[in-house]
Amino acid sequence: MLRLLKFFPLAVFLLLGGIAVLLWQEQNDHRRELIFRHTASSAEQIQIRMEGLMQARMASLELLASRWVERVPPDFSRNRFLDFAENFYTYYPGFMGINWADSAGVIRWVYPLESNRGVILKNIREQIDSQRPVTFQGIRENFKYTVTPCGELWRGGIGFDTFWPLIHNGKLQGYLNGVFEVKRIAEICFAQNLLADFCARIYEADRLIFTNEDTTDRHSNKNPVNVFREIRFPGKVWRLELIPTAAIYAPGVIENLPLLVFGFAVSFGISLLLHFLLLRMQLYRQARNLALRVVTERELAEKALRDNEKKLEALLAELSAKNEELETFVFTVSHDLKTPVVTIEGFIGALREDFGEMIPADGGKYLQYISDASHKIGLLINDLLELSRIGRISEAKTTFPFSEIVGEALKSLQYQIEQRGIRITIEKNLPLVHGEKKRLVQVLENLLSNAVKYIGNDNPAPCIEIGVTAWQGGPAFFVRDNGIGIDNMFFDKIFGIFQRLPEAVNTGAGTGVGLTIIKRIVERHGGRVWLESEVGKGTTFYFTLNPKET
């Protein structure tokens, strides 16, 4: 009996060590399952966004092609093409270019001109990728819509072309060419958190056409947590592979190692304690009982800790799912709403082109009302999309003079300022700031646009002042005008979404989102925005940035 008792501590160590290993393995399996579910949900989100975006773009090109050949009498002029192309390029971001090629395949007209000037007079059959001339030859033979395989584009990058043959009275008039870059499509469809948490790869057949993979995130793992999804839209089948980055999953490292070490340490400690207790049972009975109580309390504490951890995880998973669902909903609905707006504008243009002389004066006025309302809806959708991108899509923060963003903002509003005869005063020696330059330019543009809008039509000497003042130990930037002013009862309301002043509601100006965007951007930079105003004596808007960023 005593000989058997000598092996009892070892048996206890093996038993407790085995339990620790099982608990450790269960924790690892649970963590991998959570990561897999998150990866699968993210992959499905990307699939839905990309399919929806490309189906809308293909439908827009089909509408443009049909309107191109349906006009009576026919009008295949360059100005008409550019009007169509500008409309679709503006309302459907994602196009790299919209071109027109003649029946021989020579590209004659491009939009936008600045970024696509180099492809003018190039022949589609002479592209670098040997697959594209073959594809183009197929279009010439069967006069059907065709999508090329992904390849190197003329202006650089991986992308593909879509061709719509334009047939009028049985005769080929040319080709409508939509150019897409895979990287641009992916950047529109990928949320910022997905780019940070996952390595995404998109394949066409066996060719890798896009990846955001950084060499620092590459790793080797026999069992990676990766998910595949097929992305389908007219003429294309892509394969998406999504792999968690080291930020949320670090393969090749023993996971939850402290838990395993702790389990073995407890097992060894208990076994050693039992060894001494068995040797000196009579002398250390009280010590043995105390040790057993300590072990019991520790196990209860560990169980309570594990239970609590399962609950930081369930709550976080539910919150993440809700946020992703809301983000997908806003993104999808905003893009889907653009399709009927563009359709309305297209049919208004068709009515004016085809039946312009037959439409009475009242009918023309009503069409203008419809067009104005459609344009207003388009502006509202664009503002909502811009609001949803703040925080989701961001650029690298840099340090630059505040005067640079003032200059860019004034440049975009130069025409309105000159038309109103407004005098602009800019304070000298403006400080450096640190942040997202594009977003801060947007803040200045919105503030200046509001100042121009409410400067007052009968103002004898309209002026706007841009400067900086000291506030709570740091700089506060301001835009001051001598316009109509704002009643203090509206000070808190105007920063809410869709909240507009009575003057704006009566005149139909603005969408009620501009100041909301300003507030969101400033708060994303760690600052705050407020105003001082008196009716009839002008308004001053102030905003600050995080002191660490100025």
Side-chain angles (χ1 to χ4, degrees):
M1 185 67 179
L2 292 176
R3 186 173 298 177
L4 293 176
L5 287 177
K6 293 180 180 180
F7 296 100
F8 182 68
L10 177 61
V12 170
F13 173 76
L14 294 176
L15 175 63
L16 294 179
I19 293 174
V21 170
L22 290 176
L23 292 174
W24 170 72
Q25 185 63 45
E26 181 182 357
Q27 182 72 10
N28 289 340
D29 292 342
H30 178 65
R31 179 173 178 267
R32 281 192 288 268
E33 177 66 20
L34 290 177
I35 294 173
F36 176 78
R37 291 181 182 178
H38 178 43
T39 306
S41 173
S42 300
E44 184 174 355
Q45 177 184 353
I46 295 172
Q47 175 193 7
I48 292 172
R49 288 181 176 178
M50 194 164 290
E51 288 181 348
L53 180 123
M54 291 310 302
Q55 286 172 359
R57 301 312 176 268
M58 297 303 186
S60 70
L61 287 176
E62 183 178 10
L63 175 62
L64 195 157
S66 63
R67 290 302 308 148
W68 181 255
V69 298
E70 288 176 358
R71 190 183 188 281
V72 179
D75 180 6
F76 303 118
S77 65
R78 178 176 181 270
N79 288 338
R80 188 163 181 256
F81 165 79
L82 292 178
D83 287 341
F84 276 133
E86 181 182 10
N87 192 23
F88 284 94
Y89 188 88
T90 301
Y91 281 99
Y92 289 88
F95 287 105
M96 190 175 184
I98 301 176
N99 309 324
W100 179 84
D102 61 20
S103 58
V106 178
I107 296 177
R108 299 292 183 182
W109 305 329
V110 299
Y111 189 89
L113 180 61
E114 292 77 10
S115 57
N116 292 281
R117 191 184 300 275
V119 304
I120 297 177
L121 299 183
K122 289 188 179 291
N123 195 303
I124 297 169
R125 292 173 292 183
E126 298 175 357
Q127 294 199 45
I128 299 173
D129 194 331
S130 61
Q131 292 291 330
R132 300 194 181 188
V134 175
T135 303
F136 180 72
Q137 183 63 29
I139 304 173
R140 292 177 59 87
E141 294 174 356
N142 54 34
F143 291 160
K144 292 183 178 179
Y145 156 76
T146 303
V147 179
T148 68
C150 285
E152 186 72 20
L153 298 174
W154 266 320
R155 58 172 286 184
I158 301 297
F160 62 93
D161 292 271
T162 61
F163 294 98
W164 296 82
L166 306 173
I167 312 298
H168 182 71
N169 291 335
K171 183 179 179 182
L172 178 65
Q173 302 296 324
Y175 304 89
L176 177 62
N177 173 214
V179 185
F180 297 90
E181 184 184 16
V182 179
K183 181 180 179 182
R184 181 177 294 186
I185 296 171
E187 288 175 346
I188 293 175
C189 296
F190 282 33
Q192 187 65 25
N193 64 315
L194 296 182
L195 292 174
D197 292 346
F198 298 99
C199 166
R201 301 170 185 165
I202 300 178
Y203 298 88
E204 183 174 89
D206 294 329
R207 181 177 185 180
L208 179 66
I209 59 175
F210 171 80
T211 181
N212 68 326
E213 187 174 15
D214 190 344
T215 55
T216 58
D217 287 331
R218 292 182 179 176
H219 49 71
S220 60
N221 185 22
K222 295 181 179 179
N223 299 299
V225 181
N226 56 351
V227 172
F228 294 89
R229 288 289 186 275
E230 280 194 353
I231 299 172
R232 293 177 177 269
F233 54 91
K236 287 289 184 184
V237 178
W238 289 347
R239 183 164 59 96
L240 169 67
E241 180 182 10
L242 206 62
I243 307 173
T245 62
I248 59 175
Y249 181 62
V253 180
I254 299 180
E255 302 174 55
N256 296 317
L257 183 60
L259 179 63
L260 182 63
V261 172
F262 179 74
F264 275 111
V266 172
S267 302
F268 179 76
I270 294 175
S271 301
L272 188 63
L273 181 61
L274 287 175
H275 173 71
F276 286 109
L277 287 175
L278 288 173
L279 291 177
R280 302 183 181 184
M281 185 179 298
Q282 297 300 326
L283 297 177
Y284 298 102
R285 184 179 299 273
Q286 293 181 350
R288 182 193 64 181
N289 294 336
L290 177 61
L292 289 175
R293 287 197 300 271
V294 170
V295 170
T296 301
E297 292 175 357
R298 182 176 296 174
E299 289 178 347
L300 291 175
E302 290 176 0
K303 183 178 182 300
L305 179 62
R306 287 195 297 271
D307 292 340
N308 288 335
E309 288 178 350
K310 290 179 180 179
K311 290 178 181 179
L312 284 172
E313 290 175 359
L315 182 60
L316 287 176
E318 181 180 0
L319 180 60
S320 176
K322 293 296 184 183
N323 286 338
E324 291 176 2
E325 180 182 354
L326 179 60
E327 182 182 281
T328 301
F329 175 78
V330 172
F331 184 88
T332 302
V333 169
S334 298
H335 276 82
D336 288 347
L337 286 176
K338 283 194 171 184
T339 300
V341 171
V342 174
T343 302
I344 292 171
E345 288 287 349
F347 278 107
I348 291 174
L351 286 172
R352 287 172 172 166
E353 288 182 352
D354 298 344
F355 305 100
E357 297 179 355
M358 302 171 58
I359 299 174
D362 287 343
K365 181 170 64 176
Y366 298 154
L367 284 178
Q368 186 61 44
Y369 289 159
I370 297 173
S371 179
D372 292 343
S374 176
H375 180 69
K376 185 67 175 291
I377 294 174
L379 292 177
L380 180 58
I381 292 173
N382 286 337
D383 283 348
L384 287 175
L385 279 173
E386 188 63 33
L387 184 62
S388 70
R389 290 191 183 104
I390 298 173
R392 183 173 62 88
I393 300 177
S394 59
E395 62 179 7
K397 292 183 177 180
T398 57
T399 301
F400 49 87
F402 187 78
S403 58
E404 287 187 5
I405 64 174
V406 173
E408 292 186 25
L410 287 173
K411 184 177 180 181
S412 66
L413 296 168
Q414 183 176 0
Y415 177 78
Q416 296 94 315
I417 292 172
E418 291 177 351
Q419 288 294 310
R420 302 295 296 274
I422 301 173
R423 179 171 58 88
I424 302 297
T425 302
I426 304 173
E427 186 175 316
K428 295 182 179 180
N429 300 323
L430 293 173
L432 295 175
V433 293
H434 183 79
E436 299 179 41
K437 187 173 183 180
K438 178 180 177 182
R439 295 299 185 194
L440 294 180
V441 170
Q442 192 175 5
V443 170
L444 262 294
E445 285 180 350
N446 285 358
L447 288 176
L448 289 171
S449 177
N450 274 356
V452 172
K453 189 185 307 178
Y454 299 110
I455 201 72
N457 295 326
D458 55 352
N459 194 325
C463 65
I464 297 175
E465 180 184 356
I466 303 171
V468 64
T469 186
W471 185 81
Q472 293 188 358
F477 304 96
F478 65 83
V479 174
R480 178 179 294 124
D481 65 69
N482 64 342
I484 63 176
I486 302 173
D487 194 310
N488 59 10
M489 66 182 295
F490 299 110
F491 281 11
D492 294 330
K493 295 181 180 179
I494 59 175
F495 289 103
I497 190 168
F498 303 135
Q499 298 294 326
R500 296 188 294 168
L501 294 175
E503 294 82 358
V505 175
N506 295 333
T507 61
T511 61
V513 184
L515 288 176
T516 305
I517 291 176
I518 291 173
K519 186 173 185 290
R520 183 76 60 85
I521 294 174
V522 170
E523 290 177 350
R524 286 284 301 175
H525 283 73
R528 62 180 293 260
V529 60
W530 72 98
L531 74 151
E532 295 177 356
S533 183
E534 186 176 348
V535 175
K537 296 185 179 180
T539 302
T540 303
F541 279 93
Y542 297 90
F543 68 91
T544 63
L545 302 174
N546 190 328
K548 297 181 180 179
E549 299 181 347
T550 57

